[in-house]
Amino acid sequence: MCGRYTLTDPDPRILRFRFDLSESAEIDGEPRFNVAPTDPVLAVRRSDEGAREPGNLRWGLVPHFADPDSFDRLLINARAETVDEAPAFRDAFARSRCLILADGFYEWRATPTGKRPQWITLPQRGPFAFAGLWARSRRQDGSDLHSCTIVTTEPSAEVAPIHDRMPVILGRQDESTWLDPATSAEELRELLRPREGMDVTEVSDAVSDVRQDGPHLLEPPLQLF
């Protein structure tokens, strides 16, 4: 499961370069240290003309056939093993894939004194893309909800002692393949593998409170003894 993540340095210039976006692409440069389900999240989709377009999606997918006003499931993750078959995800997997931009995610390690939050990043702590799916559903008032979910897979060697799942982090060379509508289901499934070589850093317990946000969340935990 991936239920909390970060985008601590969303410098528009860096993100435009890293994710091959146009110079005119509008990006909110507000740092996010505690992205949580139902939050608006920064994602990149492919337009009908083939261009990459950034925008905000609500985290927690509502399938295109569902009514957002009555749909009561919070689909923040989709399992890689069943994403092409599950009714809630199979259409989005086939036609509506996206990149969800991040630079780290949190998991909680079980210890004798309780669960301790860990911030999991690439070694250089730069931005990356989760494999995401998105959907557009129609509210009863006629407005559209654009929502998304993060695909998860089995854990890497570094994540396995902490949790039995991790989000799919696409290699930079695989991001275009993920977005391309012509990519076959077999090729897509090949991308849904764990990312090895992650760094794990224990951080403040404050991250457990979804109301908190800011760089203090990444500080080392307070040592009482």
Side-chain angles (χ1 to χ4, degrees):
M1 179 177 177
C2 175
R4 215 76 65 76
Y5 71 89
T6 62
L7 184 56
T8 65
D9 186 17
D11 184 318
R13 296 167 299 174
I14 293 173
L15 296 183
R16 290 186 191 113
F17 174 78
R18 168 61 183 80
F19 294 102
D20 299 323
L21 304 173
S22 72
E23 288 298 318
S24 61
E26 295 187 9
I27 296 174
D28 181 1
E30 186 70 24
R32 305 285 302 280
F33 292 86
N34 202 2
V35 182
T38 75
D39 282 352
V41 301
L42 181 59
V44 172
R45 294 179 282 184
R46 190 180 189 272
S47 71
D48 293 340
E49 293 74 32
R52 293 187 176 192
E53 296 181 338
N56 286 330
L57 304 173
R58 195 203 74 158
W59 187 14
L61 186 138
V62 176
H64 68 88
F65 53 79
D67 176 1
D69 297 312
S70 59
F71 191 74
D72 60 359
R73 299 177 63 192
L74 191 58
L75 302 177
I76 63 170
N77 292 157
R79 291 179 66 91
E81 296 86 348
T82 58
V83 68
D84 58 339
E85 301 172 349
F89 304 124
R90 62 190 177 197
D91 291 342
F93 178 72
R95 293 187 292 273
S96 301
R97 299 179 297 277
C98 64
L99 309 177
I100 298 176
L101 308 194
D103 59 12
F105 65 97
Y106 298 110
E107 288 295 354
W108 277 254
R109 185 195 300 271
T111 74
T113 58
K115 291 189 175 182
R116 308 294 301 176
Q118 315 292 313
W119 186 43
I120 303 169
T121 64
L122 296 178
Q124 69 275 23
R125 296 193 175 178
F128 56 74
F130 296 131
L133 309 176
W134 70 276
R136 177 173 56 199
S137 50
R138 183 64 56 89
R139 297 186 178 95
Q140 293 177 14
D141 64 5
S143 63
D144 287 338
L145 172 67
H146 292 237
S147 59
C148 66
T149 192
I150 294 171
V151 182
T152 66
T153 187
E154 60 188 19
S156 67
E158 301 81 22
V159 177
I162 306 169
H163 201 275
D164 62 357
R165 305 290 295 175
M166 72 178 292
V168 173
I169 297 173
L170 296 168
R172 186 170 184 174
Q173 71 280 4
D174 297 325
E175 292 165 3
S176 293
T177 304
W178 180 251
L179 291 176
D180 189 343
T183 303
S184 70
E186 182 178 0
E187 290 176 288
L188 292 171
R189 285 192 293 268
E190 286 296 316
L191 303 180
L192 304 180
R193 56 185 181 268
R195 182 68 173 262
E196 301 291 343
M198 304 297 290
D199 276 0
V200 179
T201 304
E202 188 166 319
V203 294
S204 168
D205 281 334
V207 74
S208 298
D209 183 350
V210 297
R211 297 168 297 180
Q212 296 209 38
D213 200 348
H216 67 285
L217 300 182
L218 302 183
E219 293 176 356
L222 181 64
Q223 300 294 331
L224 299 179
F225 302 101

